[in-house]
Amino acid sequence: RKEVEQDPGPFNVPEGATVAFNCTYSNSASQSFFWYRQDCRKEPKLLMSVYSSGNEDGRFTAQLNRASQYISLLIRDSKLSDSATYLCVVNNWVGSARQLTFGSGTQLTVLP
Amino acid sequence: DAGITQSPRHKVTETGTPVTLRCHQTENHRYMYWYRQDPGHGLRLIHYSYGVKDTDKGEVSDGYSVSRSKTEDFLLTLESATSSQTSVYFCAIRGTGSRNEQYFGPGTRLTVT
């Protein structure tokens, strides 16, 4: 079982739609959580951290359910510029070091 | 912009040749990381550094070595490149927050023929 699992998609949605991505993680001791965005042939960029109480940044809402080991990202009013791959990322202790574990990503295409 | 550059940005090399990739940062970050990204896999950690001359292995370190003689530079070396090391390599730094947020360089696309 992968440590961080995501539905690879692709998700093809019209402009203005609401779309949700889900992610599950296997390590119940995971400490912090993130969503990154990666455009084609570019580096991953931090989109937002995910906090236990849920958090919002403009059109983006992230939720964390520690009991179910589940993270979600909701994008409202999708824009063409939201087309990208979204990476679910979990921070764990590995020995004495903190390390990030990345999901394989969910591909989103927003259609005009 | 996290002030990270990587060189070269693209490289084609032959099996068995040594290859060194460079990561350079301008903001004096202590932690630096090397990842590789392959289709169907998430980014996987190769090696990381927690200070000058302080490095440790990640998940996929076999066939790779690293060095950090200055805070700003973190080098990744493939001693004898193999076709399985064809990949996109990303360098990252740990930001100043407490949650281990990391910020990535633009990547190096390496092809081993």
Side-chain angles (χ1 to χ4, degrees):
Chain A
R1 181 186 172 188
K2 287 185 178 179
E3 287 192 50
V4 179
E5 295 211 54
Q6 297 182 248
D7 180 345
F11 285 62
N12 298 317
V13 302
E15 262 186 299
T18 296
V19 61
F21 305 136
N22 303 318
C23 166
T24 57
Y25 60 95
S26 61
N27 186 344
S28 60
S30 296
Q31 301 179 310
S32 50
F33 309 88
F34 310 96
W35 284 101
Y36 278 71
R37 167 198 172 122
Q38 187 172 23
D39 294 294
C40 187
R41 301 178 77 84
K42 297 285 192 181
E43 72 271 24
K45 292 188 176 179
L46 179 63
L47 179 66
M48 59 197 300
S49 292
V50 186
Y51 297 98
S52 296
S53 54
N55 49 296
E56 192 173 300
D57 183 0
R59 298 181 293 107
F60 298 84
T61 300
Q63 300 258 327
L64 169 64
N65 184 323
R66 284 190 183 270
S68 302
Q69 296 176 210
Y70 171 96
I71 306 161
S72 65
L73 177 69
L74 183 77
I75 305 175
R76 290 183 299 279
D77 188 22
S78 299
K79 312 290 185 193
L80 296 176
S81 58
D82 294 333
S83 297
T85 297
Y86 291 82
L87 308 177
C88 177
V89 183
V90 173
N91 180 44
N92 297 313
W93 283 99
V94 178
S96 60
R98 291 188 289 171
Q99 292 184 12
L100 297 184
T101 301
F102 289 77
S104 301
T106 298
Q107 185 180 344
L108 172 67
T109 300
V110 181
L111 304 169
Chain B
D1 184 1
I4 306 168
T5 56
Q6 292 186 232
S7 59
R9 294 292 314 280
H10 301 270
K11 186 168 182 67
V12 180
T13 192
E14 292 185 350
T15 298
T17 59
V19 177
T20 295
L21 309 183
R22 179 181 183 238
C23 178
H24 179 79
Q25 54 128 340
T26 59
E27 298 180 0
N28 208 35
H29 293 282
R30 178 183 173 194
Y31 285 85
M32 298 183 74
Y33 304 84
W34 277 107
Y35 293 89
R36 61 178 288 174
Q37 186 175 36
D38 305 290
H41 294 272
L43 278 87
R44 292 180 292 172
L45 181 65
I46 304 171
H47 281 279
Y48 66 97
S49 170
Y50 47 98
V52 173
K53 298 193 190 317
D54 293 322
T55 65
D56 208 346
K57 296 178 180 180
E59 176 190 358
V60 290
S61 59
D62 286 349
Y64 301 95
S65 62
V66 290
S67 65
R68 193 165 177 204
S69 59
K70 299 185 288 185
T71 298
E72 58 266 36
D73 289 327
F74 191 31
L75 304 181
L76 176 71
T77 298
L78 292 65
E79 302 290 348
S80 177
T82 68
S83 58
S84 64
Q85 294 176 311
T86 293
S87 188
V88 181
Y89 291 86
F90 288 103
C91 174
I93 57 92
R94 180 188 292 183
T96 54
S98 62
R99 294 165 58 84
N100 194 21
E101 300 93 336
Q102 293 180 17
Y103 301 89
F104 288 83
T108 294
R109 200 165 288 272
L110 177 68
T111 302
V112 183
T113 61

